[in-house]
Amino acid sequence: MKQNIAKLLVRLASKIYPTYEIKPDYEAKEIAIAVAITKKNIKQYRSSCKDKTSYRKGVADMVRIQKGNNHSHIFEALEKNCLIEDKVYQKDGEKVVESRLKVYVRKSEE
């Protein structure tokens, strides 16, 4: 309903003010990475461990390791492209280190 009203207002504005330009809308999106853990990977991990490791423990360890790898890959890509903004400031007698990431993408027209 809101979108229909907004589109109607835009059409009215374009009739009243013909040189009116519609600027594209942006919305926040996610950045993601996904890696599959195969049975072969789990078997190799279990054989590389000194102690006997159960299959369930091997899967849990591989998931934990892969989460760390995914986080490091995402942050490396962000730092490489200068998308993270870091600030260091003093607040209430404490030093604050702040990192911000802003990602906006153009909304698709429907």
Side-chain angles (χ1 to χ4, degrees), residues 16-32:
I16 295 170
Y17 189 62
T19 59
Y20 173 75
E21 250 183 68
I22 299 174
K23 294 183 180 178
D25 292 335
Y26 290 87
E27 63 183 345
K29 288 286 187 171
E30 296 176 345
I31 297 174

Side-chain angles (χ1 to χ4, degrees), residues 59-75:
V59 169
D61 289 347
M62 288 292 293
V63 167
R64 182 180 45 79
I65 291 167
Q66 195 56 52
K67 280 183 183 179
N69 289 344
N70 287 354
H71 291 190
S72 66
H73 289 303
I74 288 172
F75 284 116

Side-chain angles (χ1 to χ4, degrees), residues 9-98:
L9 290 173
V10 167
R11 277 187 269 141
L12 287 174
S14 64
K15 287 181 182 178
I16 295 170
Y17 189 62
T19 59
Y20 173 75
E21 250 183 68
I22 299 174
K23 294 183 180 178
D25 292 335
Y26 290 87
E27 63 183 345
K29 288 286 187 171
E30 296 176 345
I31 297 174
I33 184 173
V35 178
I37 301 172
T38 62
K39 290 181 179 181
K40 184 178 179 181
N41 298 126
I42 296 166
K43 186 176 181 182
Q44 288 174 346
Y45 175 77
R46 287 178 64 200
S47 66
S48 69
C49 292
K50 294 178 184 176
D51 301 329
K52 276 201 152 198
T53 305
S54 68
Y55 186 82
R56 183 178 291 175
K57 173 82 167 114
V59 169
D61 289 347
M62 288 292 293
V63 167
R64 182 180 45 79
I65 291 167
Q66 195 56 52
K67 280 183 183 179
N69 289 344
N70 287 354
H71 291 190
S72 66
H73 289 303
I74 288 172
F75 284 116
E76 285 173 11
L78 295 174
E79 288 174 355
K80 181 180 172 186
N81 294 313
C82 301
L83 296 174
I84 295 179
E85 180 183 318
D86 295 320
K87 292 182 183 178
V88 179
Y89 56 91
Q90 200 82 12
K91 183 176 182 180
D92 298 331
E94 298 175 347
K95 190 163 287 257
V96 178
V97 179
E98 179 180 83

